[in-house]
Amino acid sequence: MVKAMIEAEVVYAAEDRQVLTPVTVPAGTTVRAALLKSGIGDVFAELDLAECPVGIFGKVIGDPDTRAVQSGDRIEIYRPLLADPKEVRRLRAAKAAEA
């Protein structure tokens, strides 16, 4: 019996470039397994695909080791923030108040 195949995309944006990689996996494949199969870890050696935070279409996935990939999913790999957005807004507002 032939297992159905699912097409999805894996995306990552580093500071200097972005990569969008199509991946085809068997139905029932987990998000983490699809990341590993995509080969994006070979392009970005600094990525720890076993631990990195991921999401689908901008929504963080709590457990990518159990969530199955759906057809057309856009799996996004997230980098840590360089600055807290709330703190940046607070500083900007304080500076505007002084002016």
Side-chain angles (χ1 to χ4, degrees):
M1 183 163 153
V2 176
K3 200 165 195 177
M5 299 300 279
I6 294 174
E7 292 185 18
E9 298 175 330
V10 175
V11 296
Y12 180 68
E15 291 181 27
D16 58 340
R17 63 188 168 136
Q18 311 175 52
V19 173
L20 184 143
T21 304
V23 63
T24 303
V25 295
T29 300
T30 66
V31 170
R32 190 76 68 193
L35 284 175
L36 295 170
K37 185 173 184 336
S38 73
I40 203 157
D42 298 334
V43 178
F44 296 99
E46 70 275 10
L47 283 177
D48 179 9
L49 294 179
E51 296 296 324
C52 63
V54 297
I56 294 180
F57 290 114
K59 294 187 179 181
V60 177
I61 298 172
D63 191 4
D65 294 314
T66 59
R67 163 81 159 67
V69 176
Q70 304 295 316
S71 182
D73 276 353
R74 178 184 168 103
I75 303 167
E76 302 164 345
I77 303 169
Y78 301 127
R79 293 185 284 136
L81 294 175
L82 298 177
D84 180 14
K86 288 181 182 180
E87 182 66 17
V88 171
R89 281 192 298 273
R90 188 187 66 73
L91 293 173
R92 194 175 332 144
K95 186 176 179 181
E98 288 177 5

